Amino acid sequence: MVDRLFADPALASWYDALCPTDERADFGFYLPRIRSARSVLDVGCGTGSLLRLAREAGHRGRLCGLDPGAGMLEQARRRPELDIEWILGDLESTSWEREFDFVVMTGHAFQVLLGDDELRAALAAVRAALRDGGRFGFETRNPLAREWESWTTVTPVDVPAAGSDVAPGAAAAMRMTRQVRSVDGEIVSFRTGLTLPGEPAPRHSDSTLRFLGSDRLDAFLIEAGLVVEERYGDWDRGPVTDASPEIITIARRTPA
């Protein structure tokens, strides 16, 4: 089930206001790697901001975005002149074989892979999509940092719209609330309430994420034929510690 935030076109149109491109440290980290790769697959590409940045920065190879959220891809497809492939689906619905030099998952999209079998299938699809020696870049929140403990909002947050998207005379902010609903081992579920301008009641989006530690994560990667080349605990390339917010990984496809 795709989160409503990503499937609902009205909510998806606010995603870039919720996560402004110029405030995303993950984009700054991955963009140089994308620019140096001839062909790139962005899994969970969302509104397509990262691939658009790569094309606008001069990437001339193949850029492909994959996402299960129809609302998000509706936003991504608004710039057809950039010649980027946009595909509705997930990794388990693909059949690429050695087509990409770099596969990337940003925005903690890796954490939506909840079950062991689902994770194994996704990693197998990533490995199949990579050329020999190709890299897979992704991040997951460090479970030891327990970030979810700060997610429940005490007061609603007003999210201003991007200026170009605001019609004259329209309200210029969306109101957001978040409530963690359950924590069960590695699995955290929460509900986001999003009240659009002019609407009296919020639209709700339910989300569930998996928080894998480094050891468990690496076992899945090794099983899938992916070897860790780089590992960082933050976007400044600091080491992974108990307090670091991220587990950022660059893994390489090993020979069959």
Side-chain angles (χ1 to χ4, degrees):
M1 181 71 70
V2 179
D3 292 4
R4 189 178 183 186
L5 172 59
F6 310 135
D8 184 329
L11 295 181
S13 70
W14 282 82
Y15 184 81
D16 288 337
L18 282 165
C19 303
T21 299
D22 59 0
E23 297 179 11
R24 294 194 57 166
D26 56 341
F27 280 16
F29 178 88
Y30 291 120
L31 188 58
R33 300 171 187 275
I34 290 173
R35 294 186 63 186
S36 65
R38 292 171 298 171
S39 54
V40 178
L41 172 63
D42 184 354
V43 178
C45 65
T47 63
S49 296
L50 181 56
L51 294 185
R52 287 199 303 272
L53 284 174
R55 186 67 86 208
E56 291 166 353
H59 194 285
R60 293 292 174 261
R62 182 183 182 189
L63 297 177
C64 181
L66 174 72
D67 200 285
M72 300 294 263
L73 285 186
E74 182 177 311
Q75 299 298 310
R77 289 178 173 133
R78 291 188 172 192
R79 295 288 304 279
E81 74 277 9
L82 294 179
D83 188 27
I84 301 172
E85 301 169 51
W86 304 113
I87 298 173
L88 181 66
D90 56 24
L91 281 168
E92 293 190 56
S93 66
T94 66
S95 57
W96 287 300
E97 290 290 338
R98 291 182 168 87
E99 295 189 33
F100 298 97
D101 297 299
F102 189 54
V103 174
V104 66
M105 294 182 78
T106 66
H108 304 102
F110 188 84
Q111 290 186 250
V112 305
L113 303 170
L114 302 179
D116 288 0
D117 290 343
E118 181 183 10
L119 180 53
R120 289 188 177 101
L123 290 175
V126 167
R127 186 182 186 280
L130 285 170
R131 294 192 174 106
D132 292 339
R135 270 72 174 178
F136 174 38
F138 67 98
E139 78 285 334
T140 181
R141 296 175 182 88
N142 183 0
L144 297 178
R146 303 179 67 85
E147 182 183 321
W148 64 84
E149 292 181 347
S150 66
W151 284 357
T152 296
T153 53
V154 177
T155 58
V157 176
D158 287 332
V159 180
S164 60
D165 295 331
V166 182
M174 174 180 67
R175 179 153 289 190
M176 182 186 75
T177 61
R178 182 173 291 152
Q179 177 73 45
V180 174
R181 307 186 80 185
S182 67
V183 180
D184 183 7
E186 297 174 340
I187 305 298
V188 176
S189 297
F190 59 97
R191 167 169 283 190
T192 304
L194 300 156
T195 305
L196 299 181
E199 294 190 358
R203 305 187 191 197
H204 292 108
S205 181
D206 293 322
S207 306
T208 303
L209 301 177
R210 184 176 187 178
F211 286 72
L212 272 175
S214 297
D215 291 346
R216 294 260 291 148
L217 173 60
D218 289 349
F220 282 108
L221 291 171
I222 291 168
E223 181 183 346
L226 297 163
V227 60
V228 175
E229 283 195 335
E230 301 175 49
R231 170 68 52 74
Y232 306 107
D234 57 49
W235 299 111
D236 293 323
R237 295 174 173 79
V240 176
T241 68
D242 289 357
S244 60
E246 306 285 351
I247 302 172
I248 304 164
T249 302
I250 303 295
R252 174 175 49 84
R253 174 186 165 131
T254 59

